Amino acid sequence: MSRLTLVELSDLPRKPHGCPPEVERSWDRLKATHKSVSGLFTTLNDLRAGQDEMRGAVSETHRDQVRAAIVFTAAGIDACLRTLLRDSLPVLLSTAGDAHGSFTSHFMSNRLAGDLTPATKTAVVDIDPRAALIDLYVEDLTGRSIQGGADLIRCRNALGLKRDPALNDKILKGHQPFFNARHEVVHELDLIDPAGRGSRGRRHRDLAAVGAQCDGALQLLHAFIAPTARTVRQTRRTVGLSAT
């Protein structure tokens, strides 16, 4: 009987009931990311099952599969959260509430404090200044990529989800090891010492641990999407729009 431990993702929870159009694109990106990462793990499992001794040393080819899974998952996080913010904030900011409070606080403390940057001035005089300011806000929140727990907390607050127990600070900061791994893989090529001091060998990533990190990160995205879908539906009803 095979002793091979499979590296797999958990199934995603069901799509949020009555998913509004402002959340659809983010949900689609989550599904696509989940499918891609699942495919990488399937290939990894097939490679390991085909080797002569399944309990033998894990090869660099196998570890490269999990490194790719880290990169794919991180790219999915960036795409999903950036899309969720861009699509849902125009509705969420149409009424007073936690999301609008975070938006106001950010601009008062950053973009509107002191001398205005050229980007801020351009947004203010844009034909649609509200949309331009939201675009600046999303860029401020996500930058080039989500870097860890602090960025996740800012995104959560921007979506008005600060009180959601599934997204408390401890949970979000608990995903920092995944983002550290992404940084090591992407920016350091997973070298132990990229500066050249001592060993330049590659990190020996534990396959099961990486699988659990990727799985947790994708489940976390659902924890962002589901309550945002509820909040958007409620806001749409409040401003006189259909819930979906």
Side-chain angles (χ1 to χ4, degrees):
M1 184 175 181
S2 171
R3 293 178 178 271
L4 177 67
T5 299
L6 300 179
V7 183
E8 298 177 313
L9 294 178
S10 304
D11 291 338
L12 287 176
R14 296 180 63 180
K15 181 178 180 179
H17 176 70
C19 190
E22 294 84 357
V23 180
E24 284 280 357
R25 289 203 310 148
S26 185
W27 172 256
D28 289 342
R29 281 160 172 71
L30 174 55
K31 287 197 303 178
T33 303
H34 189 275
K35 182 178 180 180
S36 295
V37 177
S38 291
L40 286 170
F41 286 150
T42 296
T43 300
L44 169 65
N45 293 330
D46 290 344
L47 287 172
R48 294 175 65 211
Q51 68 184 23
D52 292 337
E53 175 51 66
M54 289 184 290
R55 286 173 290 174
V58 176
S59 72
E60 278 303 306
T61 298
H62 298 157
R63 290 197 174 91
D64 279 340
Q65 289 293 123
V66 298
R67 290 180 181 113
I70 291 171
V71 174
F72 272 55
T73 301
I77 291 172
D78 292 341
C80 287
L81 286 183
R82 191 173 285 116
T83 301
L84 189 63
L85 289 162
R86 288 191 187 282
D87 292 355
S88 64
L89 281 176
V91 171
L92 295 177
L93 297 178
S94 63
T95 60
D98 290 340
H100 195 274
S102 293
F103 177 80
T104 301
S105 176
H106 174 82
F107 273 92
M108 290 299 186
S109 300
N110 297 281
R111 289 272 176 189
L112 301 181
D115 294 335
L116 301 185
T117 65
T120 304
K121 292 177 181 178
T122 299
V124 170
V125 298
D126 191 87
I127 293 176
D128 187 350
R130 183 167 177 270
L133 288 172
I134 290 174
D135 284 344
L136 278 184
Y137 188 36
V138 174
E139 288 302 317
D140 289 346
L141 291 169
T142 61
R144 295 180 64 183
S145 64
I146 302 296
Q147 296 294 314
D151 288 344
L152 292 174
I153 288 171
R154 283 190 286 271
C155 291
R156 175 204 66 191
N157 294 348
L159 292 166
L161 304 176
K162 187 174 183 178
R163 305 176 198 182
D164 194 304
L167 296 173
N168 66 44
D169 287 5
K170 183 177 180 180
I171 289 174
L172 298 184
K173 291 177 181 178
H175 289 273
Q176 190 61 49
F178 168 80
F179 291 97
N180 294 343
R182 189 272 297 275
H183 181 84
E184 291 161 358
V185 171
V186 173
H187 298 290
E188 301 176 5
L189 300 180
D190 234 15
L191 295 176
I192 294 175
D193 187 352
R197 297 183 297 273
S199 171
R200 287 179 60 83
R202 301 181 80 189
R203 289 177 176 84
H204 286 221
R205 298 207 172 272
D206 180 84
L207 307 188
V210 171
Q213 285 182 332
C214 292
D215 189 51
L218 293 177
Q219 296 295 324
L220 178 68
L221 284 176
H222 185 272
F224 270 90
I225 288 172
T228 300
R230 290 195 298 271
T231 306
V232 168
R233 287 201 312 271
Q234 293 166 359
T235 305
R236 288 177 65 91
R237 285 193 290 265
T238 297
V239 300
L241 299 174
S242 63
T244 57

